[in-house]
Amino acid sequence: MNTPLPPVPDDVRLVVSDMDGTLLDGAKQIPETLWPLLDELGRRGIVFSPASGRQAATLLHQLGHAVPGLVVIAENGSVVARDGEKLRVAPLDGDVATAVLARARELSASGVDLGVVLCGPDGSFVERSDEKFLEQVEPYYFANQIVDDLTAVEAELVKVAVFDFDGIEAVTAPAIMSVGGAKEVVVSGHHWLDVMAPGVDKAVAVRAIQDRLDITPAQTMVFGDYLNDLAMLGTADWSYAMANAHPDILAAARFVAPSNEENGVVRTVRSALGLPDIG
């Protein structure tokens, strides 16, 4: 453990953490030290909320059993859910989704190795069914369905996710961003890009939780590592970039926490609770 623990608040009531690259370790596993911490947060009446590009079903499957009434910020803020109840859903315009899918197919036809996930509030859809692609999809989309043709999907959508095996930023991101229509586009990882309704991001969802529970930014800790976390850093006086975060996140956050490989989220929250460092 090389990164020292950062300053922490005296009065914390809400802890919001991204998942991949932040809370999860390098193998994308939940650290075992999280479970007793969640128990302690519950005893103290402190709300824990995962905020992720993952779907609500995935987050509830991973964490819901440990936190009764867990509120999850899913699909990069497009869905806020508690147990089986959707507290907030921001639909994506169908014409935008169709145009993004068409552009992705053009890129694929030109040789770009990519796949598309259409995301609804309750589940997702893919048409690319090779094991190579599904291995990338399954950790994020627990409720996922393989279909013959994505253009035939008639479900309400909240997001279109695009995965580029060669990296999303050089070719695919500019091409998708140039698609017309009202939309929000975020790069959510080295290989992933998400298209959502305009004005949708994790920050809107965090503020909704704060307003609903009468929690202030001074009582909020937020942890993130990548560009889809940028907006929500502004919702908390106690914003933390992981030590291995994207440079823009490191520049925007007020503090730097140990990396996800150093169990930075758990250790920093334990420090705020006055608990000993587990190293």
Side-chain angles (χ1 to χ4, degrees):
M1 304 292 179
N2 298 317
T3 306
L5 290 175
V8 293
D10 294 325
D11 175 28
V12 57
R13 291 188 57 207
L14 173 63
V15 177
V16 181
S17 178
D18 173 55
M19 294 289 282
D20 296 275
T22 302
L23 178 62
L24 305 186
D25 63 23
K28 296 188 181 297
Q29 299 299 310
I30 294 173
E32 288 301 318
T33 51
L34 178 66
W35 307 119
L37 177 63
L38 292 178
D39 290 340
E40 183 63 25
L41 290 172
R43 281 191 290 270
R44 300 191 187 200
I46 298 169
V47 177
F48 174 80
S49 182
S52 176
R54 296 178 179 225
Q55 68 182 184
T58 303
L59 296 172
L60 290 168
H61 173 72
Q62 292 177 296
L63 297 166
H65 65 282
V67 184
L70 176 71
V71 177
V72 301
I73 298 170
E75 308 286 13
N76 278 324
S78 297
V79 176
V80 179
R82 180 178 55 210
D83 297 331
E85 179 188 6
K86 301 297 184 298
L87 304 179
R88 180 178 183 273
V89 174
L92 176 65
D93 183 270
D95 290 339
V96 171
T98 299
V100 169
L101 177 58
R103 181 61 53 85
R105 285 181 164 179
E106 291 172 2
L107 290 167
S108 181
S110 71
V112 178
D113 190 6
L114 59 75
V116 175
V117 186
L118 297 185
C119 308
D122 298 304
S124 58
F125 307 87
V126 298
E127 64 184 9
R128 181 170 170 173
S129 59
D130 56 292
E131 184 176 352
K132 174 186 173 183
F133 178 61
L134 292 179
E135 284 180 349
Q136 304 301 324
V137 171
E138 288 168 356
Y140 306 97
Y141 300 99
F142 177 73
N144 184 55
Q145 181 179 346
I146 300 171
V147 299
D148 293 330
D149 182 2
L150 286 178
T151 62
V153 172
E154 296 182 352
E156 177 186 45
L157 300 178
V158 295
K159 190 181 79 176
V160 179
V162 183
F163 182 91
D164 186 330
F165 281 92
D166 295 321
I168 200 78
E169 293 192 54
V171 175
T172 299
I176 297 298
M177 289 177 180
S178 69
V179 172
K183 62 188 184 302
E184 192 79 32
V185 183
V186 294
V187 174
S188 55
H190 180 66
H191 298 277
W192 285 102
L193 173 147
D194 293 334
V195 180
M196 302 162 295
V200 171
D201 56 36
K202 293 181 181 181
V204 174
V206 173
R207 290 191 181 99
I209 294 172
Q210 290 171 324
D211 290 344
R212 187 176 184 126
L213 300 178
D214 195 25
I215 295 173
T216 68
Q219 297 170 314
T220 304
M221 301 175 76
V222 169
F223 297 85
D225 79 299
Y226 217 78
L227 297 174
N228 59 328
D229 302 319
L230 188 61
M232 77 172 180
L233 294 178
T235 66
D237 290 358
W238 300 90
S239 59
Y240 300 87
M242 310 313 289
N244 55 335
H246 189 285
D248 290 355
I249 299 298
L250 288 166
R254 293 190 63 193
F255 307 104
V256 177
S259 76
N260 63 320
E261 294 283 21
E262 297 177 285
N263 205 8
V265 172
V266 170
R267 293 174 61 211
T268 303
V269 175
R270 284 179 62 90
S271 178
L273 301 183
L275 301 174
D277 189 8
I278 54 177

